[in-house]
Amino acid sequence: MITREATIDDWDNLLVFFTKIYRVNHPLHKKEFWEWQYGNPKFGRSFICMNDKEEVVGHVGANFQGGLAWIINLYLDGEYRGQGILGKLHALVRSYYPLAATAVNEAGLGLYRNMRWIRYHDLVRYVKVNPSLKDKSFQSVCHKVDVNYNHLIDTKSHYFQQPGVNGLLFNDGSEAVSQEDVGGLRAVKILNLAIFEAEAWALGYNWIDYITSWNNLEVKKLEKNSWTLDFKNIVPWRLNPIEENYFCDITFLSEKPLNNEFIVQRNYSDHGRIGSL
């Protein structure tokens, strides 16, 4: 058994592995997406375990943001579990940054509990529907809108270079991803809330959402401006495909204690990745 860092030369073997473990049309079935996610060591790397047949049987991905390595795309074939392989893969990731994770499933929670990780309050998602809309039903709010945002398109940040993402830079410096096919705008960074909102409504968006850490005091501004937690709103978290009444439930963990001021952003880990929402 070999554990090592993967490169683009491993793509054919990785594709066989990803096709086996992920749903049809998962973003990691595309080479360009893998290169975006793992091809630049400044933003992330991919670590694999190969058996004696040189088949990929285990994988741990890492997204590098905020001085942490966010564990993503973790999977090990059943017959190889219990042999310390995941520990070796995590050690390879740890050589870059301390470890953390979001959007962990039940199996992952069990793993990290056994590894004695720290579990924090879940991330929070706030939503605001365009106040000019008279009909605020799910069917009315979450439908395709015609928005001309070409003058706002931005590809400078690594996050906005993600295949399939339409990243926008607003006049106040706020950043967001357009999901006009379901009527909305997913904020990545908000600088001047009033200016950002006004421009979004003027463009024709029906709603905006924003996800962050529970301890982010900036959400007080959202609450004062009539933003609500997602389970009190009609815009679901999952949009691809859109699922009515599917609310945000994203766990946040780290291997070592983090500073109380640490804030999780939308572009950390993969909870804001195209194809997963």
Side-chain angles (χ1 to χ4, degrees), residues 132-167:
S132 68
L133 293 179
K134 295 181 179 180
D135 182 359
K136 293 183 171 58
S137 66
F138 169 75
Q139 291 76 13
S140 178
V141 172
C142 299
H143 70 84
K144 186 174 182 179
V145 292
D146 184 16
V147 182
N148 182 7
Y149 53 71
N150 291 339
H151 60 295
L152 299 178
I153 290 177
D154 182 75
T155 58
K156 295 184 183 67
S157 73
H158 177 258
Y159 185 62
F160 285 169
Q161 293 168 14
Q162 180 178 174
V165 158
N166 293 318

Short mmCIF file of all heavy atoms in Angstrom, two decimals, residues 132-167:
data_model
loop_
_atom_site.label_atom_id
_atom_site.label_comp_id
_atom_site.label_asym_id
_atom_site.label_seq_id
_atom_site.Cartn_x
_atom_site.Cartn_y
_atom_site.Cartn_z
N SER A 132 -39.47 44.13 -2.53
CA SER A 132 -40.43 44.65 -3.52
C SER A 132 -41.34 43.55 -4.07
O SER A 132 -42.34 43.84 -4.73
CB SER A 132 -39.69 45.32 -4.67
OG SER A 132 -38.98 44.37 -5.45
N LEU A 133 -41.00 42.29 -3.81
CA LEU A 133 -41.82 41.19 -4.30
C LEU A 133 -43.12 41.09 -3.50
O LEU A 133 -43.09 41.02 -2.27
CB LEU A 133 -41.06 39.86 -4.20
CG LEU A 133 -39.85 39.68 -5.11
CD1 LEU A 133 -39.19 38.33 -4.85
CD2 LEU A 133 -40.23 39.81 -6.57
N LYS A 134 -44.22 41.07 -4.18
CA LYS A 134 -45.51 40.94 -3.50
C LYS A 134 -45.80 39.48 -3.14
O LYS A 134 -46.34 39.19 -2.07
CB LYS A 134 -46.62 41.52 -4.38
CG LYS A 134 -46.49 43.03 -4.60
CD LYS A 134 -47.62 43.56 -5.46
CE LYS A 134 -47.49 45.07 -5.66
NZ LYS A 134 -48.59 45.62 -6.51
N ASP A 135 -45.46 38.58 -4.04
CA ASP A 135 -45.67 37.15 -3.80
C ASP A 135 -44.36 36.55 -3.32
O ASP A 135 -43.40 36.43 -4.07
CB ASP A 135 -46.13 36.47 -5.09
CG ASP A 135 -46.41 34.98 -4.89
OD1 ASP A 135 -46.23 34.48 -3.76
OD2 ASP A 135 -46.80 34.33 -5.88
N LYS A 136 -44.33 36.17 -2.06
CA LYS A 136 -43.10 35.63 -1.47
C LYS A 136 -43.19 34.13 -1.23
O LYS A 136 -42.60 33.58 -0.30
CB LYS A 136 -42.76 36.37 -0.17
CG LYS A 136 -42.38 37.84 -0.39
CD LYS A 136 -41.98 38.52 0.91
CE LYS A 136 -41.39 39.90 0.66
NZ LYS A 136 -42.27 40.81 -0.05
N SER A 137 -43.93 33.45 -2.10
CA SER A 137 -44.01 31.99 -2.02
C SER A 137 -42.76 31.37 -2.62
O SER A 137 -42.01 32.02 -3.36
CB SER A 137 -45.24 31.49 -2.78
OG SER A 137 -45.10 31.76 -4.17
N PHE A 138 -42.51 30.12 -2.32
CA PHE A 138 -41.35 29.40 -2.86
C PHE A 138 -41.36 29.43 -4.39
O PHE A 138 -40.34 29.70 -5.01
CB PHE A 138 -41.38 27.96 -2.35
CG PHE A 138 -40.40 27.05 -3.04
CD1 PHE A 138 -39.05 27.11 -2.75
CD2 PHE A 138 -40.84 26.14 -3.98
CE1 PHE A 138 -38.14 26.27 -3.40
CE2 PHE A 138 -39.95 25.29 -4.63
CZ PHE A 138 -38.59 25.36 -4.33
N GLN A 139 -42.53 29.17 -4.97
CA GLN A 139 -42.61 29.09 -6.44
C GLN A 139 -42.31 30.44 -7.08
O GLN A 139 -41.71 30.52 -8.15
CB GLN A 139 -44.01 28.62 -6.86
CG GLN A 139 -44.32 27.17 -6.53
CD GLN A 139 -44.63 26.95 -5.05
OE1 GLN A 139 -44.85 27.91 -4.29
NE2 GLN A 139 -44.66 25.69 -4.65
N SER A 140 -42.70 31.52 -6.42
CA SER A 140 -42.51 32.85 -6.98
C SER A 140 -41.09 33.36 -6.79
O SER A 140 -40.52 34.00 -7.68
CB SER A 140 -43.50 33.83 -6.34
OG SER A 140 -43.30 35.14 -6.84
N VAL A 141 -40.51 33.06 -5.64
CA VAL A 141 -39.19 33.60 -5.29
C VAL A 141 -38.06 32.81 -5.94
O VAL A 141 -37.08 33.38 -6.42
CB VAL A 141 -39.01 33.64 -3.76
CG1 VAL A 141 -37.58 34.02 -3.39
CG2 VAL A 141 -40.00 34.61 -3.14
N CYS A 142 -38.20 31.49 -5.97
CA CYS A 142 -37.09 30.63 -6.41
C CYS A 142 -37.24 30.18 -7.85
O CYS A 142 -37.18 28.98 -8.16
CB CYS A 142 -36.98 29.42 -5.48
SG CYS A 142 -36.65 29.87 -3.76
N HIS A 143 -37.46 31.12 -8.73
CA HIS A 143 -37.52 30.78 -10.14
C HIS A 143 -36.50 31.62 -10.91
O HIS A 143 -35.97 32.61 -10.40
CB HIS A 143 -38.93 31.00 -10.70
CG HIS A 143 -39.32 32.45 -10.80
ND1 HIS A 143 -38.98 33.24 -11.86
CD2 HIS A 143 -40.03 33.24 -9.97
CE1 HIS A 143 -39.44 34.46 -11.69
NE2 HIS A 143 -40.08 34.49 -10.54
N LYS A 144 -36.23 31.23 -12.12
CA LYS A 144 -35.20 31.90 -12.92
C LYS A 144 -35.53 33.37 -13.14
O LYS A 144 -36.67 33.73 -13.40
CB LYS A 144 -35.05 31.19 -14.27
CG LYS A 144 -33.89 31.72 -15.11
CD LYS A 144 -33.70 30.88 -16.37
CE LYS A 144 -32.52 31.39 -17.19
NZ LYS A 144 -32.29 30.58 -18.40
N VAL A 145 -34.48 34.21 -13.03
CA VAL A 145 -34.64 35.64 -13.30
C VAL A 145 -33.67 36.05 -14.39
O VAL A 145 -32.61 35.44 -14.56
CB VAL A 145 -34.40 36.49 -12.02
CG1 VAL A 145 -35.51 36.26 -11.01
CG2 VAL A 145 -33.04 36.20 -11.41
N ASP A 146 -34.03 37.06 -15.12
CA ASP A 146 -33.19 37.58 -16.19
C ASP A 146 -32.35 38.72 -15.63
O ASP A 146 -32.88 39.81 -15.35
CB ASP A 146 -34.07 38.07 -17.35
CG ASP A 146 -33.24 38.53 -18.54
OD1 ASP A 146 -32.03 38.19 -18.60
OD2 ASP A 146 -33.79 39.24 -19.41
N VAL A 147 -31.06 38.48 -15.44
CA VAL A 147 -30.18 39.45 -14.80
C VAL A 147 -29.00 39.74 -15.72
O VAL A 147 -28.33 38.81 -16.18
CB VAL A 147 -29.66 38.93 -13.45
CG1 VAL A 147 -28.79 39.98 -12.77
CG2 VAL A 147 -30.82 38.55 -12.54
N ASN A 148 -28.71 40.99 -15.96
CA ASN A 148 -27.54 41.38 -16.74
C ASN A 148 -26.42 41.76 -15.78
O ASN A 148 -26.38 42.87 -15.26
CB ASN A 148 -27.87 42.55 -17.66
CG ASN A 148 -26.69 42.96 -18.53
OD1 ASN A 148 -25.65 42.27 -18.54
ND2 ASN A 148 -26.81 44.06 -19.23
N TYR A 149 -25.51 40.82 -15.54
CA TYR A 149 -24.42 41.07 -14.57
C TYR A 149 -23.04 41.04 -15.23
O TYR A 149 -22.03 40.97 -14.54
CB TYR A 149 -24.47 40.03 -13.45
CG TYR A 149 -24.49 38.58 -13.90
CD1 TYR A 149 -23.37 37.97 -14.47
CD2 TYR A 149 -25.63 37.81 -13.74
CE1 TYR A 149 -23.39 36.66 -14.87
CE2 TYR A 149 -25.67 36.49 -14.14
CZ TYR A 149 -24.55 35.92 -14.70
OH TYR A 149 -24.56 34.61 -15.11
N ASN A 150 -23.01 41.12 -16.55
CA ASN A 150 -21.72 41.01 -17.25
C ASN A 150 -20.69 42.03 -16.78
O ASN A 150 -19.49 41.75 -16.72
CB ASN A 150 -21.93 41.16 -18.76
CG ASN A 150 -22.66 39.99 -19.37
OD1 ASN A 150 -22.68 38.90 -18.79
ND2 ASN A 150 -23.28 40.18 -20.51
N HIS A 151 -21.16 43.21 -16.42
CA HIS A 151 -20.24 44.27 -15.98
C HIS A 151 -19.67 44.02 -14.59
O HIS A 151 -18.74 44.70 -14.16
CB HIS A 151 -20.95 45.62 -16.00
CG HIS A 151 -22.14 45.70 -15.10
ND1 HIS A 151 -23.27 44.93 -15.30
CD2 HIS A 151 -22.39 46.45 -13.99
CE1 HIS A 151 -24.17 45.20 -14.36
NE2 HIS A 151 -23.65 46.11 -13.56
N LEU A 152 -20.21 43.02 -13.88
CA LEU A 152 -19.75 42.71 -12.52
C LEU A 152 -18.92 41.43 -12.45
O LEU A 152 -18.37 41.11 -11.39
CB LEU A 152 -20.96 42.56 -11.58
CG LEU A 152 -21.86 43.79 -11.43
CD1 LEU A 152 -23.04 43.45 -10.52
CD2 LEU A 152 -21.08 44.98 -10.87
N ILE A 153 -18.82 40.70 -13.54
CA ILE A 153 -18.11 39.42 -13.52
C ILE A 153 -16.65 39.62 -13.10
O ILE A 153 -15.96 40.50 -13.59
CB ILE A 153 -18.18 38.73 -14.89
CG1 ILE A 153 -19.61 38.24 -15.16
CG2 ILE A 153 -17.21 37.55 -14.96
CD1 ILE A 153 -19.79 37.61 -16.52
N ASP A 154 -16.21 38.77 -12.18
CA ASP A 154 -14.85 38.87 -11.66
C ASP A 154 -14.23 37.48 -11.57
O ASP A 154 -14.87 36.54 -11.09
CB ASP A 154 -14.88 39.52 -10.27
CG ASP A 154 -13.49 39.70 -9.70
OD1 ASP A 154 -12.78 40.61 -10.15
OD2 ASP A 154 -13.11 38.92 -8.80
N THR A 155 -13.00 37.34 -12.01
CA THR A 155 -12.32 36.04 -11.95
C THR A 155 -10.95 36.15 -11.28
O THR A 155 -10.12 35.27 -11.43
CB THR A 155 -12.14 35.45 -13.36
OG1 THR A 155 -11.39 36.38 -14.17
CG2 THR A 155 -13.47 35.16 -14.02
N LYS A 156 -10.76 37.22 -10.53
CA LYS A 156 -9.45 37.43 -9.92
C LYS A 156 -9.19 36.44 -8.78
O LYS A 156 -8.07 35.95 -8.62
CB LYS A 156 -9.32 38.87 -9.40
CG LYS A 156 -9.36 39.93 -10.49
CD LYS A 156 -9.13 41.31 -9.89
CE LYS A 156 -9.23 42.40 -10.97
NZ LYS A 156 -10.60 42.52 -11.49
N SER A 157 -10.20 36.17 -7.98
CA SER A 157 -10.00 35.27 -6.85
C SER A 157 -10.04 33.82 -7.31
O SER A 157 -10.69 33.47 -8.30
CB SER A 157 -11.08 35.50 -5.79
OG SER A 157 -12.33 34.98 -6.21
N HIS A 158 -9.34 32.97 -6.59
CA HIS A 158 -9.34 31.55 -6.91
C HIS A 158 -10.75 30.98 -6.84
O HIS A 158 -11.14 30.15 -7.67
CB HIS A 158 -8.41 30.80 -5.95
CG HIS A 158 -8.39 29.31 -6.16
ND1 HIS A 158 -9.07 28.44 -5.35
CD2 HIS A 158 -7.78 28.56 -7.10
CE1 HIS A 158 -8.87 27.21 -5.77
NE2 HIS A 158 -8.11 27.25 -6.84
N TYR A 159 -11.52 31.40 -5.86
CA TYR A 159 -12.89 30.89 -5.70
C TYR A 159 -13.73 31.17 -6.93
O TYR A 159 -14.52 30.32 -7.36
CB TYR A 159 -13.52 31.52 -4.46
CG TYR A 159 -14.89 30.98 -4.12
CD1 TYR A 159 -15.08 29.63 -3.79
CD2 TYR A 159 -16.01 31.81 -4.12
CE1 TYR A 159 -16.32 29.14 -3.47
CE2 TYR A 159 -17.26 31.32 -3.81
CZ TYR A 159 -17.41 29.98 -3.48
OH TYR A 159 -18.66 29.50 -3.17
N PHE A 160 -13.56 32.34 -7.52
CA PHE A 160 -14.34 32.70 -8.69
C PHE A 160 -13.80 32.08 -9.98
O PHE A 160 -14.40 32.24 -11.05
CB PHE A 160 -14.41 34.22 -8.83
CG PHE A 160 -15.36 34.89 -7.85
CD1 PHE A 160 -15.36 36.26 -7.70
CD2 PHE A 160 -16.24 34.14 -7.10
CE1 PHE A 160 -16.23 36.88 -6.81
CE2 PHE A 160 -17.11 34.72 -6.20
CZ PHE A 160 -17.11 36.11 -6.06
N GLN A 161 -12.68 31.40 -9.91
CA GLN A 161 -12.16 30.66 -11.06
C GLN A 161 -12.73 29.23 -11.10
O GLN A 161 -12.43 28.48 -12.03
CB GLN A 161 -10.64 30.62 -11.00
CG GLN A 161 -9.99 31.98 -11.18
CD GLN A 161 -8.51 31.99 -10.84
OE1 GLN A 161 -7.88 30.93 -10.70
NE2 GLN A 161 -7.94 33.18 -10.68
N GLN A 162 -13.53 28.90 -10.12
CA GLN A 162 -14.14 27.58 -10.05
C GLN A 162 -15.01 27.32 -11.27
O GLN A 162 -15.87 28.14 -11.60
CB GLN A 162 -15.00 27.52 -8.77
CG GLN A 162 -15.70 26.21 -8.54
CD GLN A 162 -16.51 26.22 -7.24
OE1 GLN A 162 -17.21 25.26 -6.97
NE2 GLN A 162 -16.41 27.27 -6.46
N PRO A 163 -14.81 26.21 -11.99
CA PRO A 163 -15.62 25.93 -13.17
C PRO A 163 -17.11 25.91 -12.83
O PRO A 163 -17.53 25.29 -11.86
CB PRO A 163 -15.14 24.53 -13.59
CG PRO A 163 -13.75 24.44 -13.07
CD PRO A 163 -13.76 25.18 -11.77
N GLY A 164 -17.89 26.63 -13.61
CA GLY A 164 -19.33 26.66 -13.41
C GLY A 164 -19.83 27.77 -12.52
O GLY A 164 -21.04 27.93 -12.34
N VAL A 165 -18.93 28.58 -11.96
CA VAL A 165 -19.32 29.66 -11.05
C VAL A 165 -19.31 31.00 -11.78
O VAL A 165 -18.36 31.30 -12.51
CB VAL A 165 -18.38 29.72 -9.83
CG1 VAL A 165 -18.39 31.09 -9.18
CG2 VAL A 165 -18.78 28.67 -8.80
N ASN A 166 -20.34 31.79 -11.56
CA ASN A 166 -20.38 33.17 -12.05
C ASN A 166 -20.16 34.09 -10.86
O ASN A 166 -21.10 34.42 -10.13
CB ASN A 166 -21.73 33.46 -12.72
CG ASN A 166 -21.93 32.68 -13.99
OD1 ASN A 166 -21.01 32.56 -14.80
ND2 ASN A 166 -23.11 32.14 -14.18
N GLY A 167 -18.91 34.46 -10.63
CA GLY A 167 -18.56 35.30 -9.50
C GLY A 167 -18.69 36.77 -9.85
O GLY A 167 -18.24 37.21 -10.91
#
